[in-house]
Amino acid sequence: MPDVPADQSADSARFQVGDRVQLSDPKGRLHTVTLEPGKQFHTHRGAISHDHLIGVEEGSVVHSSAGTGYLALRPLLSDYVLSMPRGAAVIYPKDAAQIVAQGDIHPGARVLEAGAGSGALTCSLLRAVGPTGTVISYERRADHLDHARRNVDAFFGAPPQNWDLRLADVCQHPAGEVVDRVILDMLAPWDVLAAVGAALRPGGVLIGYVATTTQLSRLVEALRDEGGWTEPHAWECLIRDWHVLGLAVRPDHRMQGHTAFLVTARRLAPGVVAPTRQRRPAKTVELEVAFGLVVEPPPATDEPGTEKPFRPPLP
């Protein structure tokens, strides 16, 4: 498999037949076309001939039949993900970037992914592991698997040779097929921890991608209860764009807010128990007293004059 998609090859900066081209109009609206000789792309601002794009350098401006200029660039992976046909919801680029970075997805890594969804994260994983790495994707739904296959194949220009897409439950993954990283994008990731943990090498990283706080809590507690994992780390990623025009510098009114929670943990060696993480104990009794659930007893002391006044709970 090439290191980069066929339509983003570094061999030539000029557009060729079969390339995907992203056209940006003066208002910033994006249109993506696949170049074919003799064809035209029609907009409300006139038509653009594909022949006028073929052979042109990337980053050029082409004009429609009505004289409107369009900036022509090859779409980035983030552009492709946001515009790809969807079977399941895609993992947004901001979260995919966190997964690749915090999961330390590196060239040559063996990555286990469940489920494949629409193939958005799979594209990022395949790029990160490179031709010497492997991505194994499990998907239980045949319709989602078909979407993922089409989207990934379209992005890379051909079926990636280092991608193993399986229509099956990830619980069926053999323990002897060892992997370096596990990414779980599924409804109940806590149900498969034993199966994927058996295949994840010691020191390997597990990443869970969940949408709700109840899923987040259950996954974190399941990792703690099962043992064999480092203390889970949970977070989310928010992006806020800024409007910058001269002295008018302010946050945009819209932002990419909550999409999902991410949880990471690392696999321990067999039989090893991690040192207990020291946490400040919850002030349960103090909270109960504050809310009037119990009556605070007077302190026990043998020294006269040191007693604290008795405070009954507030009504």
mmCIF file of all heavy atoms in Angstrom, residues 221-255:
data_model
loop_
_atom_site.group_PDB
_atom_site.id
_atom_site.type_symbol
_atom_site.label_atom_id
_atom_site.label_comp_id
_atom_site.label_asym_id
_atom_site.label_seq_id
_atom_site.Cartn_x
_atom_site.Cartn_y
_atom_site.Cartn_z
ATOM 1 N N GLU A 221 -14.982 2.119 35.327
ATOM 2 C CA GLU A 221 -15.097 1.225 36.481
ATOM 3 C C GLU A 221 -14.834 -0.233 36.092
ATOM 4 O O GLU A 221 -14.283 -1.001 36.887
ATOM 5 C CB GLU A 221 -16.485 1.361 37.113
ATOM 6 C CG GLU A 221 -16.748 2.735 37.732
ATOM 7 C CD GLU A 221 -15.713 3.116 38.782
ATOM 8 O OE1 GLU A 221 -15.158 2.215 39.444
ATOM 9 O OE2 GLU A 221 -15.446 4.328 38.936
ATOM 10 N N ALA A 222 -15.216 -0.619 34.870
ATOM 11 C CA ALA A 222 -14.949 -1.985 34.413
ATOM 12 C C ALA A 222 -13.453 -2.232 34.281
ATOM 13 O O ALA A 222 -12.950 -3.312 34.625
ATOM 14 C CB ALA A 222 -15.649 -2.244 33.085
ATOM 15 N N LEU A 223 -12.712 -1.246 33.796
ATOM 16 C CA LEU A 223 -11.258 -1.386 33.689
ATOM 17 C C LEU A 223 -10.629 -1.528 35.076
ATOM 18 O O LEU A 223 -9.713 -2.338 35.288
ATOM 19 C CB LEU A 223 -10.678 -0.176 32.957
ATOM 20 C CG LEU A 223 -10.920 -0.120 31.449
ATOM 21 C CD1 LEU A 223 -10.624 1.266 30.904
ATOM 22 C CD2 LEU A 223 -10.055 -1.161 30.730
ATOM 23 N N ARG A 224 -11.123 -0.755 36.025
ATOM 24 C CA ARG A 224 -10.592 -0.842 37.388
ATOM 25 C C ARG A 224 -10.924 -2.189 38.022
ATOM 26 O O ARG A 224 -10.082 -2.814 38.678
ATOM 27 C CB ARG A 224 -11.165 0.292 38.240
ATOM 28 C CG ARG A 224 -10.620 1.672 37.895
ATOM 29 C CD ARG A 224 -11.374 2.756 38.629
ATOM 30 N NE ARG A 224 -10.811 4.078 38.354
ATOM 31 C CZ ARG A 224 -11.475 5.216 38.540
ATOM 32 N NH1 ARG A 224 -12.720 5.192 39.022
ATOM 33 N NH2 ARG A 224 -10.903 6.374 38.261
ATOM 34 N N ASP A 225 -12.162 -2.637 37.837
ATOM 35 C CA ASP A 225 -12.593 -3.883 38.477
ATOM 36 C C ASP A 225 -11.902 -5.106 37.886
ATOM 37 O O ASP A 225 -11.600 -6.065 38.604
ATOM 38 C CB ASP A 225 -14.112 -4.038 38.339
ATOM 39 C CG ASP A 225 -14.878 -3.004 39.146
ATOM 40 O OD1 ASP A 225 -14.276 -2.393 40.048
ATOM 41 O OD2 ASP A 225 -16.074 -2.789 38.858
ATOM 42 N N GLU A 226 -11.646 -5.068 36.560
ATOM 43 C CA GLU A 226 -11.052 -6.245 35.916
ATOM 44 C C GLU A 226 -9.617 -6.448 36.347
ATOM 45 O O GLU A 226 -9.134 -7.572 36.473
ATOM 46 C CB GLU A 226 -11.131 -6.110 34.393
ATOM 47 C CG GLU A 226 -10.620 -7.336 33.662
ATOM 48 C CD GLU A 226 -10.676 -7.176 32.154
ATOM 49 O OE1 GLU A 226 -9.696 -6.668 31.586
ATOM 50 O OE2 GLU A 226 -11.687 -7.563 31.562
ATOM 51 N N GLY A 227 -8.894 -5.373 36.570
ATOM 52 C CA GLY A 227 -7.483 -5.485 36.896
ATOM 53 C C GLY A 227 -6.665 -5.766 35.644
ATOM 54 O O GLY A 227 -7.204 -6.072 34.580
ATOM 55 N N GLY A 228 -5.373 -5.643 35.766
ATOM 56 C CA GLY A 228 -4.512 -5.866 34.607
ATOM 57 C C GLY A 228 -4.357 -4.643 33.732
ATOM 58 O O GLY A 228 -3.778 -4.720 32.649
ATOM 59 N N TRP A 229 -4.888 -3.488 34.199
ATOM 60 C CA TRP A 229 -4.802 -2.235 33.438
ATOM 61 C C TRP A 229 -4.262 -1.129 34.338
ATOM 62 O O TRP A 229 -4.435 -1.157 35.558
ATOM 63 C CB TRP A 229 -6.174 -1.807 32.919
ATOM 64 C CG TRP A 229 -6.869 -2.820 32.075
ATOM 65 C CD1 TRP A 229 -7.779 -3.758 32.480
ATOM 66 C CD2 TRP A 229 -6.714 -3.006 30.662
ATOM 67 N NE1 TRP A 229 -8.201 -4.513 31.417
ATOM 68 C CE2 TRP A 229 -7.563 -4.070 30.282
ATOM 69 C CE3 TRP A 229 -5.948 -2.379 29.680
ATOM 70 C CZ2 TRP A 229 -7.665 -4.520 28.973
ATOM 71 C CZ3 TRP A 229 -6.050 -2.826 28.367
ATOM 72 C CH2 TRP A 229 -6.886 -3.878 28.026
ATOM 73 N N THR A 230 -3.612 -0.155 33.720
ATOM 74 C CA THR A 230 -3.247 1.039 34.469
ATOM 75 C C THR A 230 -4.502 1.841 34.777
ATOM 76 O O THR A 230 -5.585 1.564 34.241
ATOM 77 C CB THR A 230 -2.271 1.910 33.661
ATOM 78 O OG1 THR A 230 -2.901 2.304 32.422
ATOM 79 C CG2 THR A 230 -0.985 1.168 33.362
ATOM 80 N N GLU A 231 -4.376 2.826 35.630
ATOM 81 C CA GLU A 231 -5.513 3.671 35.980
ATOM 82 C C GLU A 231 -6.046 4.361 34.713
ATOM 83 O O GLU A 231 -5.298 5.021 33.990
ATOM 84 C CB GLU A 231 -5.094 4.731 37.002
ATOM 85 C CG GLU A 231 -6.148 5.759 37.339
ATOM 86 C CD GLU A 231 -7.352 5.171 38.054
ATOM 87 O OE1 GLU A 231 -7.274 4.008 38.534
ATOM 88 O OE2 GLU A 231 -8.373 5.872 38.159
ATOM 89 N N PRO A 232 -7.327 4.195 34.400
ATOM 90 C CA PRO A 232 -7.877 4.794 33.183
ATOM 91 C C PRO A 232 -7.823 6.322 33.234
ATOM 92 O O PRO A 232 -7.981 6.932 34.294
ATOM 93 C CB PRO A 232 -9.334 4.304 33.176
ATOM 94 C CG PRO A 232 -9.363 3.138 34.103
ATOM 95 C CD PRO A 232 -8.322 3.387 35.132
ATOM 96 N N HIS A 233 -7.609 6.903 32.075
ATOM 97 C CA HIS A 233 -7.604 8.365 31.934
ATOM 98 C C HIS A 233 -8.723 8.740 30.982
ATOM 99 O O HIS A 233 -8.818 8.200 29.876
ATOM 100 C CB HIS A 233 -6.259 8.844 31.381
ATOM 101 C CG HIS A 233 -6.244 10.297 31.011
ATOM 102 N ND1 HIS A 233 -6.472 11.307 31.911
ATOM 103 C CD2 HIS A 233 -6.043 10.907 29.811
ATOM 104 C CE1 HIS A 233 -6.398 12.469 31.311
ATOM 105 N NE2 HIS A 233 -6.152 12.255 30.027
ATOM 106 N N ALA A 234 -9.589 9.650 31.397
ATOM 107 C CA ALA A 234 -10.749 10.045 30.592
ATOM 108 C C ALA A 234 -10.698 11.541 30.288
ATOM 109 O O ALA A 234 -10.318 12.342 31.141
ATOM 110 C CB ALA A 234 -12.043 9.702 31.327
ATOM 111 N N TRP A 235 -11.111 11.899 29.077
ATOM 112 C CA TRP A 235 -11.134 13.305 28.685
ATOM 113 C C TRP A 235 -12.013 13.472 27.451
ATOM 114 O O TRP A 235 -12.504 12.509 26.875
ATOM 115 C CB TRP A 235 -9.725 13.817 28.422
ATOM 116 C CG TRP A 235 -9.144 13.465 27.087
ATOM 117 C CD1 TRP A 235 -9.046 14.256 25.981
ATOM 118 C CD2 TRP A 235 -8.549 12.216 26.706
ATOM 119 N NE1 TRP A 235 -8.436 13.582 24.949
ATOM 120 C CE2 TRP A 235 -8.126 12.329 25.372
ATOM 121 C CE3 TRP A 235 -8.344 11.005 27.376
ATOM 122 C CZ2 TRP A 235 -7.519 11.282 24.687
ATOM 123 C CZ3 TRP A 235 -7.743 9.966 26.695
ATOM 124 C CH2 TRP A 235 -7.330 10.109 25.373
ATOM 125 N N GLU A 236 -12.232 14.718 27.051
ATOM 126 C CA GLU A 236 -12.897 15.021 25.796
ATOM 127 C C GLU A 236 -12.164 16.172 25.140
ATOM 128 O O GLU A 236 -11.415 16.912 25.788
ATOM 129 C CB GLU A 236 -14.377 15.370 26.002
ATOM 130 C CG GLU A 236 -14.620 16.636 26.782
ATOM 131 C CD GLU A 236 -16.097 16.999 26.879
ATOM 132 O OE1 GLU A 236 -16.849 16.622 25.966
ATOM 133 O OE2 GLU A 236 -16.476 17.663 27.867
ATOM 134 N N CYS A 237 -12.386 16.345 23.857
ATOM 135 C CA CYS A 237 -11.696 17.374 23.078
ATOM 136 C C CYS A 237 -12.735 18.324 22.489
ATOM 137 O O CYS A 237 -13.667 17.888 21.816
ATOM 138 C CB CYS A 237 -10.865 16.720 21.976
ATOM 139 S SG CYS A 237 -10.062 17.908 20.870
ATOM 140 N N LEU A 238 -12.564 19.613 22.751
ATOM 141 C CA LEU A 238 -13.447 20.650 22.221
ATOM 142 C C LEU A 238 -12.626 21.600 21.361
ATOM 143 O O LEU A 238 -11.483 21.923 21.688
ATOM 144 C CB LEU A 238 -14.111 21.433 23.355
ATOM 145 C CG LEU A 238 -14.772 20.617 24.473
ATOM 146 C CD1 LEU A 238 -15.301 21.553 25.557
ATOM 147 C CD2 LEU A 238 -15.889 19.753 23.928
ATOM 148 N N ILE A 239 -13.208 22.062 20.268
ATOM 149 C CA ILE A 239 -12.517 22.993 19.384
ATOM 150 C C ILE A 239 -13.370 24.246 19.216
ATOM 151 O O ILE A 239 -14.560 24.160 18.899
ATOM 152 C CB ILE A 239 -12.236 22.372 18.005
ATOM 153 C CG1 ILE A 239 -11.203 21.254 18.123
ATOM 154 C CG2 ILE A 239 -11.738 23.426 17.020
ATOM 155 C CD1 ILE A 239 -10.839 20.617 16.806
ATOM 156 N N ARG A 240 -12.747 25.393 19.415
ATOM 157 C CA ARG A 240 -13.430 26.663 19.196
ATOM 158 C C ARG A 240 -12.612 27.499 18.221
ATOM 159 O O ARG A 240 -11.469 27.854 18.502
ATOM 160 C CB ARG A 240 -13.616 27.421 20.515
ATOM 161 C CG ARG A 240 -14.389 28.728 20.354
ATOM 162 C CD ARG A 240 -14.671 29.374 21.699
ATOM 163 N NE ARG A 240 -13.461 29.870 22.326
ATOM 164 C CZ ARG A 240 -13.457 30.547 23.488
ATOM 165 N NH1 ARG A 240 -14.592 30.754 24.127
ATOM 166 N NH2 ARG A 240 -12.320 30.969 23.996
ATOM 167 N N ASP A 241 -13.173 27.802 17.076
ATOM 168 C CA ASP A 241 -12.502 28.650 16.104
ATOM 169 C C ASP A 241 -12.576 30.114 16.541
ATOM 170 O O ASP A 241 -13.415 30.494 17.361
ATOM 171 C CB ASP A 241 -13.157 28.499 14.727
ATOM 172 C CG ASP A 241 -12.917 27.123 14.115
ATOM 173 O OD1 ASP A 241 -11.890 26.509 14.450
ATOM 174 O OD2 ASP A 241 -13.757 26.672 13.331
ATOM 175 N N TRP A 242 -11.683 30.905 15.957
ATOM 176 C CA TRP A 242 -11.647 32.333 16.266
ATOM 177 C C TRP A 242 -11.794 33.147 14.990
ATOM 178 O O TRP A 242 -11.276 32.779 13.933
ATOM 179 C CB TRP A 242 -10.340 32.702 16.976
ATOM 180 C CG TRP A 242 -10.377 32.396 18.439
ATOM 181 C CD1 TRP A 242 -10.375 31.155 19.008
ATOM 182 C CD2 TRP A 242 -10.463 33.335 19.508
ATOM 183 N NE1 TRP A 242 -10.448 31.258 20.376
ATOM 184 C CE2 TRP A 242 -10.496 32.593 20.715
ATOM 185 C CE3 TRP A 242 -10.505 34.721 19.568
ATOM 186 C CZ2 TRP A 242 -10.573 33.200 21.963
ATOM 187 C CZ3 TRP A 242 -10.577 35.328 20.816
ATOM 188 C CH2 TRP A 242 -10.616 34.569 21.993
ATOM 189 N N HIS A 243 -12.511 34.253 15.121
ATOM 190 C CA HIS A 243 -12.667 35.210 14.026
ATOM 191 C C HIS A 243 -11.567 36.257 14.180
ATOM 192 O O HIS A 243 -11.473 36.929 15.210
ATOM 193 C CB HIS A 243 -14.053 35.873 14.116
ATOM 194 C CG HIS A 243 -14.218 37.043 13.195
ATOM 195 N ND1 HIS A 243 -14.631 36.910 11.887
ATOM 196 C CD2 HIS A 243 -14.025 38.369 13.403
ATOM 197 C CE1 HIS A 243 -14.694 38.102 11.330
ATOM 198 N NE2 HIS A 243 -14.331 39.004 12.228
ATOM 199 N N VAL A 244 -10.710 36.361 13.179
ATOM 200 C CA VAL A 244 -9.598 37.308 13.237
ATOM 201 C C VAL A 244 -9.630 38.171 11.983
ATOM 202 O O VAL A 244 -9.365 37.691 10.879
ATOM 203 C CB VAL A 244 -8.237 36.583 13.345
ATOM 204 C CG1 VAL A 244 -7.107 37.603 13.436
ATOM 205 C CG2 VAL A 244 -8.217 35.654 14.550
ATOM 206 N N LEU A 245 -9.979 39.441 12.136
ATOM 207 C CA LEU A 245 -10.018 40.386 11.024
ATOM 208 C C LEU A 245 -9.608 41.751 11.551
ATOM 209 O O LEU A 245 -10.404 42.466 12.182
ATOM 210 C CB LEU A 245 -11.416 40.448 10.402
ATOM 211 C CG LEU A 245 -11.569 41.329 9.148
ATOM 212 C CD1 LEU A 245 -10.657 40.820 8.034
ATOM 213 C CD2 LEU A 245 -13.018 41.354 8.679
ATOM 214 N N GLY A 246 -8.340 42.099 11.326
ATOM 215 C CA GLY A 246 -7.842 43.357 11.857
ATOM 216 C C GLY A 246 -7.881 43.352 13.375
ATOM 217 O O GLY A 246 -7.374 42.452 14.037
ATOM 218 N N LEU A 247 -8.529 44.388 13.940
ATOM 219 C CA LEU A 247 -8.666 44.469 15.386
ATOM 220 C C LEU A 247 -9.882 43.720 15.904
ATOM 221 O O LEU A 247 -10.091 43.626 17.115
ATOM 222 C CB LEU A 247 -8.747 45.944 15.822
ATOM 223 C CG LEU A 247 -7.494 46.789 15.539
ATOM 224 C CD1 LEU A 247 -7.727 48.234 15.975
ATOM 225 C CD2 LEU A 247 -6.282 46.205 16.245
ATOM 226 N N ALA A 248 -10.693 43.188 15.005
ATOM 227 C CA ALA A 248 -11.863 42.409 15.417
ATOM 228 C C ALA A 248 -11.439 40.965 15.640
ATOM 229 O O ALA A 248 -11.426 40.149 14.712
ATOM 230 C CB ALA A 248 -12.956 42.493 14.354
ATOM 231 N N VAL A 249 -11.052 40.672 16.847
ATOM 232 C CA VAL A 249 -10.576 39.338 17.209
ATOM 233 C C VAL A 249 -11.479 38.809 18.328
ATOM 234 O O VAL A 249 -11.495 39.364 19.431
ATOM 235 C CB VAL A 249 -9.115 39.371 17.687
ATOM 236 C CG1 VAL A 249 -8.644 37.977 18.061
ATOM 237 C CG2 VAL A 249 -8.221 39.962 16.608
ATOM 238 N N ARG A 250 -12.233 37.774 18.034
ATOM 239 C CA ARG A 250 -13.179 37.234 19.002
ATOM 240 C C ARG A 250 -13.425 35.760 18.693
ATOM 241 O O ARG A 250 -13.170 35.301 17.575
ATOM 242 C CB ARG A 250 -14.515 37.993 18.935
ATOM 243 C CG ARG A 250 -15.135 37.987 17.548
ATOM 244 C CD ARG A 250 -16.552 38.477 17.545
ATOM 245 N NE ARG A 250 -17.091 38.582 16.193
ATOM 246 C CZ ARG A 250 -17.497 37.564 15.455
ATOM 247 N NH1 ARG A 250 -17.409 36.328 15.940
ATOM 248 N NH2 ARG A 250 -17.978 37.729 14.240
ATOM 249 N N PRO A 251 -13.958 35.027 19.656
ATOM 250 C CA PRO A 251 -14.310 33.625 19.372
ATOM 251 C C PRO A 251 -15.482 33.557 18.410
ATOM 252 O O PRO A 251 -16.367 34.413 18.437
ATOM 253 C CB PRO A 251 -14.705 33.061 20.737
ATOM 254 C CG PRO A 251 -14.381 34.100 21.744
ATOM 255 C CD PRO A 251 -14.207 35.385 21.047
ATOM 256 N N ASP A 252 -15.490 32.534 17.560
ATOM 257 C CA ASP A 252 -16.644 32.313 16.698
ATOM 258 C C ASP A 252 -17.858 31.958 17.545
ATOM 259 O O ASP A 252 -17.748 31.455 18.659
ATOM 260 C CB ASP A 252 -16.363 31.174 15.707
ATOM 261 C CG ASP A 252 -15.666 31.683 14.449
ATOM 262 O OD1 ASP A 252 -15.542 32.910 14.299
ATOM 263 O OD2 ASP A 252 -15.237 30.847 13.635
ATOM 264 N N HIS A 253 -19.024 32.237 16.978
ATOM 265 C CA HIS A 253 -20.260 31.963 17.705
ATOM 266 C C HIS A 253 -20.568 30.469 17.773
ATOM 267 O O HIS A 253 -21.329 30.021 18.625
ATOM 268 C CB HIS A 253 -21.430 32.703 17.050
ATOM 269 C CG HIS A 253 -21.260 34.198 17.052
ATOM 270 N ND1 HIS A 253 -21.079 34.921 18.213
ATOM 271 C CD2 HIS A 253 -21.225 35.099 16.039
ATOM 272 C CE1 HIS A 253 -20.953 36.210 17.915
ATOM 273 N NE2 HIS A 253 -21.034 36.338 16.605
ATOM 274 N N ARG A 254 -19.993 29.687 16.873
ATOM 275 C CA ARG A 254 -20.229 28.247 16.857
ATOM 276 C C ARG A 254 -18.913 27.528 17.101
ATOM 277 O O ARG A 254 -17.843 28.039 16.764
ATOM 278 C CB ARG A 254 -20.826 27.815 15.513
ATOM 279 C CG ARG A 254 -22.157 28.474 15.186
ATOM 280 C CD ARG A 254 -22.692 28.031 13.841
ATOM 281 N NE ARG A 254 -22.964 26.598 13.817
ATOM 282 C CZ ARG A 254 -23.394 25.945 12.745
ATOM 283 N NH1 ARG A 254 -23.569 26.589 11.601
ATOM 284 N NH2 ARG A 254 -23.631 24.643 12.799
ATOM 285 N N MET A 255 -19.003 26.340 17.680
ATOM 286 C CA MET A 255 -17.796 25.561 17.948
ATOM 287 C C MET A 255 -18.111 24.084 17.837
ATOM 288 O O MET A 255 -19.281 23.678 17.835
ATOM 289 C CB MET A 255 -17.248 25.873 19.344
ATOM 290 C CG MET A 255 -18.147 25.420 20.484
ATOM 291 S SD MET A 255 -17.445 25.735 22.121
ATOM 292 C CE MET A 255 -16.096 24.564 22.154
#
